[in-house]
Amino acid sequence: MRAPDTVKLAVVQMHVTDQLEDNVSRAVQHVRDAAAQGAQVILLPELFENLYFCQVEREEYFALAHPLEGHPFIGRFQELARELGVVLPLSYFEKAGQAHYNSLVCIDADGTILGNYRKTHIPDGPGYEEKYYFNPGDTGFKVWDTRYGRVGVGICWDQWYPETARVMMLQGADFLLYPTAIGSEPAEVETPNSHHMWQRAMIGHAVSNSTYVAAANRIGTEVVGDLTQTYYGHTFVSDYTGEIVAELAETEEGALIHTLNIAEARKFRAGMGFFRDRRPELYGPLLTLDGVTRRG
């Protein structure tokens, strides 16, 4: 499927409550509003169905997970995609047998589910206790042929890894998307509470791959167990040179919409030569944990 020359992208920034129907209904309205403004691909934040429960380790939160088949709200978004003619990469908490995953389905503009991606990189730290809840993803990175181009999507912690972005670009992605839930750290954590570092990591992917990159974050303060976190928003779109071309503030709710010039990015990427000059035969240490290439 040939990519269109331009794609109108929307990335949604929203607050989240502990009520599934409230969150889903608000997400649906954001999708409708974005589609009414001409958006063709619409990205919602990570795990928008509930509070970011991974702040704490509690057995009861496993009950929030559901199998893909017969899922309580994915079918509703399939119908919405079909009605509006939009592509919806959609984050959800997946239960598969005895395993649990932080997952995403890509819904094409006719309502078809093109595939399922399970988050590859799982964080583990104060306020982000995801290794307690999620098995490491086993699908490998995914790029989907949609009505509006080849869409590559990583999930939150994936966005810090240049390997994620590079693999999706090697698989032919026209642009990269990252649904996210990120904000303040607990008081005892020494790492900075800064959206700048978060954005810079993804801007680096945009520069090194000569591609558009966009991230959708949540906003608001959420209390889970005995922890409180405030999510810093700053949903943004970077162009293929690393310039932030659209951004929401830390409390704004709504859809950030920008037209991606896919044809121009493709031309620029070829001219930069980053993919021409790669030397994959020398990258063996990347396949190890300690940097020592082992043979045989």
Side-chain angles (χ1 to χ4, degrees):
M1 185 182 298
R2 186 184 183 280
D5 288 342
T6 62
V7 174
K8 198 163 189 178
L9 172 69
V11 276
V12 172
Q13 184 164 286
M14 59 183 279
H15 78 281
V16 173
T17 71
D18 62 355
Q19 298 299 311
L20 175 66
E21 181 53 37
D22 175 49
N23 298 322
V24 170
S25 294
R26 192 170 340 100
V28 166
Q29 190 57 54
H30 283 311
V31 170
R32 289 191 177 280
D33 291 345
Q37 297 176 69
Q40 298 164 309
V41 179
I42 304 171
L43 180 70
L44 291 160
E46 178 190 25
L47 298 173
F48 66 89
E49 63 196 89
N50 210 296
L51 301 176
Y52 181 71
F53 54 89
C54 307
Q55 288 189 51
V56 297
E57 297 183 1
R58 298 287 189 275
E59 292 177 359
E60 62 262 30
Y61 292 126
F62 284 102
L64 297 174
H66 297 279
L68 175 55
E69 185 176 354
H71 193 274
F73 65 78
I74 288 176
R76 183 170 172 183
F77 283 94
Q78 287 182 264
E79 294 174 2
L80 186 66
R82 186 181 306 112
E83 174 193 343
L84 301 176
V86 297
V87 173
L88 298 176
L90 197 72
S91 172
Y92 74 107
F93 185 11
E94 180 188 8
K95 178 176 172 57
Q98 300 304 319
H100 297 82
Y101 297 99
N102 187 337
S103 298
L104 177 142
V105 290
C106 188
I107 304 172
D108 207 354
D110 62 358
T112 301
I113 291 179
L114 298 178
N116 190 47
Y117 169 65
R118 292 168 173 167
K119 185 173 177 177
T120 300
H121 302 97
I122 311 296
D124 180 31
Y128 299 90
E129 307 280 355
E130 293 201 14
K131 278 189 168 64
Y132 177 75
Y133 294 101
F134 306 130
N135 294 83
D138 57 3
T139 60
F141 302 113
K142 296 286 188 179
V143 170
W144 291 287
D145 274 313
T146 77
R147 183 181 297 179
Y148 303 112
R150 287 180 62 81
V151 179
V153 188
I155 302 174
C156 202
W157 195 234
D158 288 332
Q159 68 206 359
W160 297 91
Y161 291 83
E163 297 88 349
T164 303
R166 179 52 54 89
V167 169
M168 289 192 291
M169 291 304 296
L170 287 171
Q171 292 174 334
D174 291 313
F175 52 95
L176 303 180
L177 304 178
Y178 296 97
T180 291
I182 191 169
S184 63
E185 304 283 352
E188 70 272 17
V189 175
E190 296 179 0
T191 54
N193 296 324
S194 171
H195 74 274
H196 298 291
M197 187 169 70
W198 170 75
Q199 287 182 334
R200 287 172 189 144
M202 287 177 278
I203 288 169
H205 305 330
V207 172
S208 297
N209 293 282
S210 300
T211 190
Y212 287 96
V213 173
N217 198 12
R218 64 175 66 195
I219 56 172
T221 298
E222 300 179 16
V223 179
V224 178
D226 56 356
L227 285 184
T228 300
Q229 283 180 305
T230 299
Y231 298 89
Y232 53 51
H234 287 281
T235 290
F236 75 99
V237 179
S238 168
D239 74 6
Y240 52 86
T241 72
E243 291 293 330
I244 293 181
V245 291
E247 182 179 6
L248 294 174
E250 62 186 14
T251 59
E252 286 185 272
E253 176 146 352
L256 183 67
I257 298 177
H258 188 77
T259 298
L260 313 184
N261 191 327
I262 301 300
E264 195 62 33
R266 188 184 307 115
K267 176 183 174 183
F268 181 83
R269 184 182 310 121
M272 285 300 298
F274 292 146
F275 289 86
R276 177 196 65 210
D277 298 337
R278 293 181 67 250
R279 295 292 305 280
E281 73 276 13
L282 301 180
Y283 300 160
L286 291 176
L287 303 178
T288 73
L289 293 177
D290 62 0
V292 178
T293 302
R294 295 170 178 80
R295 302 186 185 280

